[in-house]
Amino acid sequence: MTYAAPLKDMLFVIDELANIANVATLPGFEDATLETAQAVLDEAAKFNGEVLAPLNIEGDKHPSTWHDGVVTTTAGFKDAFRQFGEGGWQGVMHPSEFGGQALPKLIATPCIEMLNSANLSFALCPLLTDGAIEALLTAGSDNLKARYLPKLIEGKWTGTMNLTEPQAGSDLALVRTRAEPQGDGTYKVFGTKIFITYGEHDMAENIVHLVLARTPDAPEGVKGISLFLVPKFMVNEDGSPGARNDVHCVSIEHKLGIKASPTAVLQFGDHGGATGYLIGEENRGLEYMFIMMNAARFAVGVQGIAVSERAYQLAAAYAKERVQSRPVDGSAKQSVAIIHHPDVRRMLMTMRALTEGARALAYVAAAHSDIAHHSDDAATRADHAAIYEYLVPVVKGWSTEMSIDVASLGVQVHGGMGFIEETGAAQHYRDARILTIYEGTTAIQANDLIGRKTVRDGGAAARAVLAQIDATLAALKQHDGAAFDAMHSRLQAGRAALANVVDFVLQNTKSDPNAVFTGSVAYLKLAGIVLSGWQMARAMIAATQKHAADPSFYDAKITTAHFFADHILPQAVALEASIVSAKGNRSVLALDVDQF
Amino acid sequence: MTYAAPLKDMLFVIDELANIANVATLPGFEDATLETAQAVLDEAAKFNGEVLAPLNIEGDKHPSTWHDGVVTTTAGFKDAFRQFGEGGWQGVMHPSEFGGQALPKLIATPCIEMLNSANLSFALCPLLTDGAIEALLTAGSDNLKARYLPKLIEGKWTGTMNLTEPQAGSDLALVRTRAEPQGDGTYKVFGTKIFITYGEHDMAENIVHLVLARTPDAPEGVKGISLFLVPKFMVNEDGSPGARNDVHCVSIEHKLGIKASPTAVLQFGDHGGATGYLIGEENRGLEYMFIMMNAARFAVGVQGIAVSERAYQLAAAYAKERVQSRPVDGSAKQSVAIIHHPDVRRMLMTMRALTEGARALAYVAAAHSDIAHHSDDAATRADHAAIYEYLVPVVKGWSTEMSIDVASLGVQVHGGMGFIEETGAAQHYRDARILTIYEGTTAIQANDLIGRKTVRDGGAAARAVLAQIDATLAALKQHDGAAFDAMHSRLQAGRAALANVVDFVLQNTKSDPNAVFTGSVAYLKLAGIVLSGWQMARAMIAATQKHAADPSFYDAKITTAHFFADHILPQAVALEASIVSAKGNRSVLALDVDQF
């Protein structure tokens, strides 16, 4: 089973929901029209479908291996990465002055989705490289930019993020890796980093590690962390890779999923110190890392959508093919393909609705990011930045949480065959499981949603979003029929639930933080459901307006939105109840530790 | 990390919720007192904790292997199985005339839970053997019983269930395996069976296959299926294993989880025919198989509880040990164990509440089964049988569905370490994934709940259960405090939701089956949540009454019930909405197949 990119849906969202025509009015994006998007997406669909999708199951069967410090990736990965670079895919959204295509995030996002649907393990390497590029663009010196960016953007070299240490998972205050200045502008870096995605591999000529470390006189905690660039190979004056730097991969992890992606333990400085270069200013490392992480968090959200889409396609294909049992409504005397059975249909519709809703929300967020970065009006930039920032933890947290459920439903649709590894459904269930963990667990996204995204601006961004939902509710009222009625009443209830929870968060975070943070993930999921449902409502309206152009596609969109309204939106009210009505959520924290 | 049986909770449920004192009044169960239960459970805890729990991760790392028809189980399994047999654990609930201990299901159920918590892969072998014993007890001739039951109950031989064929998964009408009478009372069996758990292995002297097959003149469909006993080794007159029978294992599956449990493809009759013996009457095979399956379905529900308990214990231990980040409420300046963080607490409480609720429901169901089989009053037997039958699909479907979520939360509590296989959390996530599939998928349980358990008796059993919930609601009213208030209002709402759905099912199943069956799994989950919540409400009342005897334990029980009320019961209303208010659920079935 290969992968066929859902181009129609992607282009529909780009055009109708994320309004690419508006993005194409921004300075620098004049060429980023729907036609450009279509041309880029067509090429991406071809490359990912033909080259990367067939390697997905290979990577699972034959993971990356480690031998004596050298990591060998799955057969075919190295060549695929070469093609990826040559096709210009690493540079889609990066600046043209360093060799990129400078396309909007709104066009890059479906490309990233396709890449991850085709091969989640492979896609992690470019994903981390994107992060390194962002950090260098933001804070790198001209010299570092000139030396590293073209090779990274060209896809010749790859990037990594080195945060985690054995004693410091999510808590970066505990980082111990140290960087000693050498008096010549360089540093020697010493320490151990774990969970480093593509920390070592054989696909690129060089690896550019971005490393959090402390200088000798740095303050304690997160305010004393700086960011360093530590290349695997030193770079010669002519830009070619030179001597091996003192950073070595001592092992890779044996993981539940994404097995082709090597997760490295890196040792810096065991042989005299790894040469590193300070990025930006000392002690501002966390700030720069957050730039990388915000980009990476959005991309991980897209990974959730990607793996959901692939799991859905596999399950739908199986359900059309597998013949079993007669229909419950007596409409046939013979056994039928299981797609005709109501519960199989419910599972497929759930997978589809969750995936389409999350996709729409992510692409709309991408358009906000484009406006936030490229509008020539400061107030417009600020407004869109605030909404984008509000949406990032939701896109990351919700798209990944739902992807685990979608991948699990994918297994269930296959019945007993789903539990057999050869079928492929189980791989998605295993692969998806990392997504709610890395780049910040769902709880960390939820804390961000509460602290930095809801409380800090007094709920302004949340209320801006709620006002947009109100506009959609008013527009729904202009339409008749069961689908619109269902959507209106469910979205209205969901909107009220979200608004109540935002108020609850604003009123209680300072005075009773535990009452709020025990409901943090529930708030994130509630936001994910209501905001995805809102996008499905907008999709329903657009599909009605465009209906004549492609009746089958638009009918399916309206039906999927209707399903979302009836079967997914109602969960919002249950989530609200478990946050707001639970009176301080005392039951969550009441047990003593020894009662567990 | 080993496993410590939750003996206090098990005995609390046995005593206070399932009322073992009442079971001990039944003829034949006079010795089955709480003291007996305690003694048996103590021994079971010791055996499972010491012998089987340490082998769990071994079985995952070193699965059963196949070579040239021979299956070798994980090192240590064979010796453990010997000890299992010698300890009398296979015979706990089987009749003493064949060597069993004849204890009630209410005492056997916690033993089965412990066995599965300790080692899910190992436990499948005794689980299937129980099924074979049940079928022989129900329908076997005296000769077959005398020849096979003692060895099976002693744990010398093991049993299998052979239903599935490559073309016939859940749909047994398609079974093609044939059995040709030989004129001497025996048959020759020919065919291929797949997904046969412990279909071949090296732990026992003999394997007793129970096989669905068709005789030459059998009617088509499920009415022409008979049940045959096909031993791996023919049995000599003295009861010892003799010549090899013509049934061979041609391969075993490469699975997502329960890897130590060999899942065999069995070939019957490739060398002249496998000798088989008819069990009961011709063409009644499905009926007998349903007896086995009903027992097995209940046991698989218990597997869900078991894996949830183990995942919870592992996660709680990690959360107490792992130090990371300061508390959000500022109550400490240093990093604390993550169990102090609100979202980790929410996850652990969710795991705990779901597990305790499902356990209580399953054990209460076991007591109904005991009364249904052993009361000397026919009306009492019938009443309890009806409730037990109503509960079986709920125990199977709900306990297994929730176990996937619980195991997934167990991974999440571990953060990045959860994705590393060495930690063990990932194994539970993989192992649990089969439970909603085998012995009938959740959809099949839900169809059973609708068709045979709700519609067939006009809702009588469902209403009997609802009346019991009403009694609990009245009792809750006698208590004060936030926990009781929350439980009363949530359970009342849940009870109303369940009652509405039962009415909806009764009114619409005939006239609009698709409207009902698209909501089938939602109905099952709703029933699981409300009935588990009801047991937690009963637990809350009992804990208040017994409080002085063990304040820490009973406080924890009340808090866990309070959490269930605030955080799990609200989902019932969302599920009701997606069934009843969705106006025929047209959106589920509206798409054409080619729109997927």
Side-chain angles (χ1 to χ4, degrees):
Chain A
M1 171 69 198
T2 186
Y3 160 72
L7 288 170
K8 267 193 190 182
D9 195 50
M10 289 172 158
L11 289 165
F12 166 77
V13 174
I14 288 173
D15 188 18
E16 298 289 336
L17 305 183
N19 196 0
I20 193 167
N22 184 39
V23 170
T25 65
L26 298 168
F29 287 157
E30 293 80 1
D31 297 336
T33 59
L34 183 63
E35 289 65 40
T36 302
Q38 179 143 21
V40 173
L41 268 57
D42 281 347
E43 281 304 307
K46 202 179 295 175
F47 173 72
N48 288 301
E50 290 173 5
V51 177
L52 287 174
L55 287 174
N56 190 47
I57 204 161
E58 287 305 306
D60 192 59
K61 276 198 229 162
H62 309 290
S64 288
T65 54
W66 179 96
H67 180 72
D68 203 13
V70 175
V71 172
T72 306
T73 53
T74 306
F77 270 45
K78 189 173 176 175
D79 186 56
F81 188 72
R82 184 186 53 73
Q83 294 182 58
F84 177 81
E86 288 172 3
W89 297 112
Q90 188 73 60
V92 172
M93 64 179 166
H94 299 303
S96 48
E97 66 173 302
F98 298 109
Q101 300 189 47
L103 288 167
K105 195 178 184 79
L106 179 56
I107 295 180
T109 300
C111 294
I112 292 169
E113 184 193 320
M114 287 185 217
L115 180 65
N116 280 285
S117 283
N119 199 320
L120 198 68
S121 282
F122 179 95
L124 278 163
C125 191
L127 190 155
L128 272 296
T129 303
D130 278 339
I133 293 167
E134 293 278 347
L136 281 170
L137 283 170
T138 305
S141 65
D142 288 345
N143 189 22
L144 286 178
K145 283 185 192 170
R147 184 154 285 201
Y148 290 94
L149 281 175
K151 295 284 192 177
L152 288 167
I153 288 173
E154 198 185 345
K156 289 278 186 201
W157 299 353
T158 66
T160 70
M161 281 168 73
N162 289 247
L163 287 75
T164 309
E165 300 181 4
Q167 79 292 350
S170 306
D171 186 1
L172 296 175
L174 303 178
V175 161
R176 278 187 209 146
T177 296
R178 62 186 210 282
E180 297 179 353
Q182 302 299 298
D184 61 352
T186 71
Y187 292 74
K188 291 286 185 198
V189 177
F190 303 88
T192 306
K193 294 285 183 178
I194 64 170
F195 293 159
I196 310 307
T197 299
Y198 280 94
E200 177 57 32
H201 63 87
D202 59 357
M203 305 198 307
E205 290 170 2
N206 204 356
I207 302 175
V208 181
H209 302 293
L210 267 52
V211 184
L212 290 186
R214 292 180 188 285
T215 53
D217 305 319
E220 284 195 13
V222 294
K223 289 176 183 160
I225 297 174
S226 304
L227 182 63
F228 295 89
L229 185 156
V230 180
K232 175 179 172 186
F233 292 103
M234 303 305 293
V235 179
N236 295 323
E237 279 307 309
D238 66 356
S240 63
R244 189 74 164 79
N245 201 357
D246 186 11
V247 47
H248 297 280
C249 175
V250 296
S251 64
I252 61 173
E253 306 292 351
H254 173 218
K255 305 194 301 297
L256 171 62
I258 52 163
K259 295 188 180 188
S261 163
T263 303
V265 177
L266 292 184
Q267 196 70 35
F268 293 84
D270 266 9
H271 308 284
T275 300
Y277 307 93
L278 182 67
I279 295 177
E281 297 173 26
E282 268 189 37
N283 301 329
R284 292 181 63 186
L286 203 70
E287 185 185 319
Y288 308 141
M289 193 56 90
F290 261 106
I291 292 163
M292 286 177 70
M293 278 216 294
N294 251 333
R297 283 176 176 183
F298 179 84
V300 172
V302 175
Q303 289 193 305
I305 298 159
V307 73
S308 298
E309 174 68 32
R310 184 98 189 237
Y312 165 74
Q313 290 190 15
L314 188 67
Y318 184 80
K320 289 181 196 183
E321 177 193 295
R322 172 74 171 170
V323 174
Q324 187 93 154
S325 300
R326 283 175 292 179
V328 288
D329 64 1
S331 57
K333 297 250 186 241
Q334 279 77 38
S335 297
V336 293
I338 62 171
I339 197 169
H340 295 287
H341 296 315
D343 189 62
V344 172
R345 214 36 110 83
R346 177 202 53 97
M347 293 193 277
L348 290 174
M349 288 301 294
T350 303
M351 298 172 79
R352 178 185 179 109
L354 288 170
T355 306
E356 289 187 11
R359 174 182 296 127
L361 185 63
Y363 290 15
V364 165
H368 283 295
S369 171
D370 286 326
I371 300 168
H373 286 96
H374 288 263
S375 173
D376 50 15
D377 178 63
T380 302
R381 285 201 303 273
D383 288 350
H384 286 269
I387 291 179
Y388 177 68
E389 290 294 322
Y390 183 79
L391 295 180
V392 167
V394 180
V395 168
K396 200 289 185 181
W398 170 248
S399 305
T400 61
E401 288 284 341
M402 73 87 193
S403 78
I404 296 174
D405 293 338
V406 168
S408 184
L409 286 171
V411 172
Q412 190 74 15
V413 168
H414 285 80
M417 290 306 297
F419 203 66
I420 307 299
E421 286 286 2
E422 282 77 1
T423 311
Q427 184 187 349
H428 301 312
Y429 176 73
R430 290 186 288 97
D431 285 354
R433 194 63 197 77
I434 190 57
L435 302 179
T436 60
I437 296 172
Y438 66 19
E439 300 300 335
T441 63
T442 305
I444 287 175
Q445 306 305 319
N447 288 358
D448 182 50
L449 181 64
I450 289 173
R452 277 183 289 268
K453 309 302 170 61
T454 303
V455 174
R456 194 158 70 180
D457 71 357
R463 292 206 183 97
V465 170
L466 289 167
Q468 292 190 24
I469 298 178
D470 289 335
T472 302
L473 283 166
L476 286 171
K477 272 283 188 204
Q478 308 303 312
H479 295 267
D480 294 321
F484 281 96
D485 291 351
M487 180 57 91
H488 187 272
S489 73
R490 298 298 186 193
L491 182 60
Q492 192 164 49
R495 187 257 182 239
L498 179 58
N500 285 345
V501 169
V502 168
D503 287 345
F504 177 81
V505 166
L506 290 169
Q507 284 158 22
N508 294 286
T509 300
K510 291 246 161 77
S511 59
D512 190 357
N514 285 328
V516 173
F517 286 98
T518 47
S520 64
V521 169
Y523 169 28
L524 184 146
K525 288 185 176 177
L526 166 55
I529 289 168
V530 173
L531 301 182
S532 298
W534 164 44
Q535 295 308 323
M536 293 305 283
R538 296 183 62 223
M540 196 172 210
I541 294 167
T544 304
Q545 286 158 350
K546 297 279 164 140
H547 186 266
D550 188 346
S552 174
F553 173 76
Y554 290 115
D555 281 341
K557 181 59 81 176
I558 294 166
T559 293
T560 306
H562 186 183
F563 179 91
F564 199 109
D566 276 345
H567 295 269
I568 298 170
L569 271 171
Q571 296 167 26
V573 177
L575 289 162
E576 179 203 1
S578 76
I579 304 168
V580 175
S581 321
K583 296 193 180 144
N585 271 316
R586 296 289 170 258
S587 68
V588 182
L589 297 167
L591 294 192
D592 289 334
V593 169
D594 60 10
Q595 287 175 301
F596 282 92
Chain B
M1 170 72 198
T2 184
Y3 159 74
L7 287 170
K8 268 194 189 182
D9 196 51
M10 289 173 158
L11 288 165
F12 167 77
V13 174
I14 287 173
D15 187 19
E16 296 290 335
L17 305 184
N19 198 0
I20 193 168
N22 183 39
V23 171
T25 65
L26 298 169
F29 286 158
E30 292 80 2
D31 297 335
T33 60
L34 183 62
E35 290 65 38
T36 302
Q38 181 143 18
V40 173
L41 267 56
D42 281 347
E43 281 305 307
K46 201 180 295 176
F47 173 72
N48 288 301
E50 290 172 7
V51 177
L52 287 175
L55 287 174
N56 190 45
I57 203 160
E58 287 305 307
D60 192 58
K61 276 197 231 163
H62 308 290
S64 288
T65 53
W66 179 96
H67 181 72
D68 204 13
V70 175
V71 172
T72 306
T73 54
T74 306
F77 269 44
K78 187 172 176 174
D79 186 56
F81 189 73
R82 184 188 51 76
Q83 294 181 58
F84 177 82
E86 287 172 6
W89 298 112
Q90 187 73 60
V92 173
M93 64 179 167
H94 299 301
S96 48
E97 66 172 301
F98 297 108
Q101 300 188 47
L103 287 167
K105 194 177 184 81
L106 179 55
I107 295 180
T109 299
C111 294
I112 291 169
E113 184 193 320
M114 289 185 218
L115 179 66
N116 280 286
S117 283
N119 200 320
L120 198 68
S121 282
F122 179 95
L124 277 163
C125 190
L127 190 156
L128 273 295
T129 302
D130 278 339
I133 292 168
E134 292 279 345
L136 280 170
L137 283 169
T138 305
S141 65
D142 288 344
N143 189 23
L144 285 178
K145 283 185 191 170
R147 181 154 287 204
Y148 290 94
L149 281 175
K151 295 284 192 177
L152 289 167
I153 288 173
E154 199 185 348
K156 290 276 186 202
W157 298 354
T158 66
T160 70
M161 279 167 74
N162 290 246
L163 287 76
T164 309
E165 301 181 4
Q167 79 292 351
S170 306
D171 187 0
L172 297 174
L174 303 179
V175 160
R176 278 188 210 146
T177 295
R178 63 187 210 281
E180 295 178 356
Q182 302 298 299
D184 61 353
T186 70
Y187 292 74
K188 291 285 185 200
V189 177
F190 303 88
T192 305
K193 294 285 184 179
I194 63 169
F195 294 159
I196 309 307
T197 299
Y198 279 94
E200 177 57 33
H201 64 87
D202 59 357
M203 305 196 311
E205 291 171 1
N206 204 355
I207 302 174
V208 181
H209 301 294
L210 265 54
V211 184
L212 290 185
R214 293 182 188 283
T215 53
D217 305 319
E220 282 195 14
V222 294
K223 290 179 182 158
I225 297 175
S226 304
L227 183 63
F228 295 88
L229 185 157
V230 181
K232 175 179 169 184
F233 291 102
M234 303 305 295
V235 178
N236 296 325
E237 279 307 310
D238 67 355
S240 65
R244 189 74 163 78
N245 200 357
D246 185 13
V247 47
H248 298 279
C249 174
V250 295
S251 63
I252 61 173
E253 305 292 350
H254 173 218
K255 305 193 301 296
L256 172 62
I258 54 165
K259 294 186 181 190
S261 162
T263 303
V265 177
L266 292 183
Q267 195 69 35
F268 293 83
D270 266 9
H271 307 284
T275 300
Y277 307 94
L278 182 68
I279 295 177
E281 296 173 27
E282 267 189 37
N283 301 331
R284 291 182 61 187
L286 202 70
E287 184 185 323
Y288 308 141
M289 193 56 89
F290 262 105
I291 292 163
M292 288 177 70
M293 276 215 294
N294 251 335
R297 283 175 175 184
F298 179 84
V300 172
V302 175
Q303 291 193 303
I305 297 160
V307 74
S308 298
E309 173 67 33
R310 183 100 189 237
Y312 166 74
Q313 291 191 13
L314 187 68
Y318 183 80
K320 289 181 195 182
E321 175 194 295
R322 172 77 172 168
V323 174
Q324 187 92 154
S325 301
R326 285 175 292 179
V328 287
D329 63 1
S331 58
K333 297 252 187 243
Q334 278 77 40
S335 297
V336 293
I338 61 171
I339 197 169
H340 295 286
H341 296 314
D343 189 62
V344 171
R345 215 36 110 81
R346 175 199 58 93
M347 290 193 279
L348 290 174
M349 289 300 296
T350 304
M351 297 171 80
R352 179 186 177 106
L354 287 170
T355 306
E356 289 187 13
R359 174 182 295 127
L361 186 63
Y363 290 15
V364 166
H368 283 295
S369 171
D370 287 326
I371 300 169
H373 286 96
H374 288 264
S375 172
D376 50 15
D377 177 64
T380 303
R381 285 201 304 273
D383 287 350
H384 286 268
I387 291 178
Y388 177 69
E389 290 294 322
Y390 183 79
L391 295 179
V392 167
V394 180
V395 168
K396 199 288 185 181
W398 171 248
S399 305
T400 60
E401 288 284 340
M402 73 88 193
S403 78
I404 296 174
D405 293 339
V406 168
S408 184
L409 286 171
V411 172
Q412 190 75 14
V413 168
H414 285 80
M417 291 305 297
F419 202 67
I420 307 299
E421 285 287 3
E422 283 76 1
T423 311
Q427 185 187 346
H428 301 312
Y429 176 73
R430 290 186 286 100
D431 284 354
R433 194 62 196 79
I434 189 59
L435 303 179
T436 59
I437 296 173
Y438 65 18
E439 300 300 338
T441 64
T442 305
I444 287 174
Q445 306 305 319
N447 288 357
D448 181 50
L449 181 64
I450 290 173
R452 276 183 289 265
K453 308 302 169 61
T454 302
V455 174
R456 193 158 67 180
D457 71 359
R463 292 206 183 97
V465 170
L466 289 167
Q468 293 190 24
I469 298 178
D470 289 336
T472 301
L473 283 167
L476 286 171
K477 271 281 188 207
Q478 309 302 311
H479 296 267
D480 293 323
F484 280 96
D485 290 351
M487 180 57 91
H488 187 271
S489 74
R490 298 297 185 194
L491 182 59
Q492 193 164 50
R495 186 256 183 239
L498 180 57
N500 285 346
V501 170
V502 168
D503 287 345
F504 178 81
V505 166
L506 290 170
Q507 283 157 23
N508 294 286
T509 300
K510 292 249 162 75
S511 59
D512 190 358
N514 285 327
V516 172
F517 285 99
T518 49
S520 64
V521 169
Y523 170 30
L524 183 147
K525 288 185 175 177
L526 166 55
I529 288 169
V530 173
L531 301 182
S532 298
W534 164 45
Q535 295 308 321
M536 293 305 283
R538 295 182 63 224
M540 197 172 209
I541 295 167
T544 303
Q545 287 158 351
K546 297 281 165 137
H547 186 265
D550 188 346
S552 174
F553 174 76
Y554 290 115
D555 281 341
K557 181 60 81 178
I558 293 167
T559 294
T560 307
H562 186 182
F563 180 91
F564 199 110
D566 276 346
H567 294 269
I568 298 168
L569 271 171
Q571 297 167 28
V573 177
L575 289 163
E576 179 203 1
S578 77
I579 304 167
V580 176
S581 320
K583 297 193 178 142
N585 271 315
R586 295 293 170 255
S587 68
V588 183
L589 297 167
L591 294 193
D592 289 335
V593 168
D594 60 9
Q595 286 176 302
F596 282 92

